Amino acid sequence: MISKRSQSGFLGVDAVITLIVLSIMIALATGWVTRQMDQQDYRIAADQQRTVAEAFSKYLKDHYSTVLANATATAPAQITVAMLRSTQYLPDGYSDTNLFGQTIIGLARRPNPNQLEAIVITTDGRAIPEIGVRTIAENLGGPGGFISSLNSNVIQGIRGGWQLALSNYGISPGPGHTASALFLMDGELANDYLYRNAVPGRPELNTMNTAINMGGNDINNADQVNTRAVTASESVTAETVEASSWFRSTGDTGWYSEKWGGGIYQSDAEWLRVFNDKGLLTGGRIRGGTIESQGRVVVGEYLDIESVAQVDGACAKTGLVSKNSQGGLLTCQGGVWRASGGASLGATWAMTNTYGQGWRPLECPDGYVMTGLTAPNEDWKSVRCRQLK
């Protein structure tokens, strides 16, 4: 039989073992929680640095020429988080430092003319443990890098993917800091991006190499659009349209006045038509080979007939109207020009002013109408007249 003293000894050993196991479990749990909290901090630091790197990249694209002018191969241009906030590349209130009190800055150096090499790097603050900087770099992906305690003179890319000498940027943050290489984010900053601003000596940065699909959206506030051809499936609205060649319409269409409802169009191969039977008004002249009217012809002043015919001369169509050399009205009757009123002609009378006689008026006698006149020079003229019956 086990005594009470012996039983109490066994209970004491059990308690000690239990306490040891519990302590180990608590220690393991505490370590796991601490590591999880550290991992969370590293992810947050990586996300913050990535956001700054993206903002810095956009800033460089929009201010490429300015940054290029202020950078050299060994003295980089420095862009701070405050500058990115003030230019709206980062929101107001975005922190300049990460969870470890390290300041995040952007540096851009010019290794060659018209070329930028840029990084985002952390300085000052608390040094992050080696495992921490490597974890942050891993979370940043390909552009991610860190300054290792094994070599504090270079930025080491994740898994040895790349390496940059800190002396190129004139900075030495020391071990326990991280970086992002922007030239690895975009291949290079001057890549296949369409730049908003002109870059001196780099016209290709403002040149499209393929068609732009606007997805049904507008292009607004353009000044001049210079192009070879414009194709529109619906309407084109403009204040003034100018062309150095033809305005061409397809189909039975042409020009149309939206306000007044008239226009000019063509619906067959022969006639140019006025839309909605509007009148055609001009204070100038209208010229054509033949003018036809299906209704009346109204003359507001005089009818000026320029053709001249001879009485009894042949004419092509009954009803034609002309005049003789003295302005007398002639009409075509039965294929012959007749004086107005339909009077027939009788006897012929002629008179000649020969050389040496000087000037003498050549007029037909009363009751006669002039049918011809020859006057090659001042001293020789001949007039021919016919008697009116």
Side-chain angles (χ1 to χ4, degrees), residues 18-47:
T18 301
L19 289 173
I20 292 173
V21 172
L22 183 60
S23 297
I24 294 173
M25 293 179 63
I26 292 174
L28 292 174
T30 301
W32 181 83
V33 171
T34 301
R35 286 193 299 274
Q36 288 298 110
M37 293 179 63
D38 288 342
Q39 291 295 323
Q40 180 68 13
D41 288 344
Y42 299 152
R43 282 193 294 270
I44 293 173
D47 289 342

Side-chain angles (χ1 to χ4, degrees), residues 189-258:
L189 290 176
N191 198 333
D192 288 333
Y193 290 88
L194 186 65
Y195 278 58
R196 293 171 55 193
N197 301 311
V199 179
R202 301 295 299 275
E204 72 277 8
L205 299 182
N206 303 111
T207 302
M208 282 299 302
N209 298 319
T210 187
I212 296 178
N213 188 336
M214 295 302 297
N217 296 298
D218 298 338
I219 297 178
N220 297 318
N221 300 320
D223 183 13
Q224 294 185 7
V225 178
N226 300 312
T227 183
R228 185 179 61 84
V230 175
T231 301
S233 59
E234 295 186 14
S235 61
V236 175
T237 302
E239 181 176 343
T240 302
V241 178
E242 298 180 4
S244 59
S245 186
W246 290 93
F247 286 99
R248 298 179 182 269
S249 61
T250 59
D252 298 343
T253 59
W255 168 78
Y256 174 74
S257 171
E258 186 72 27

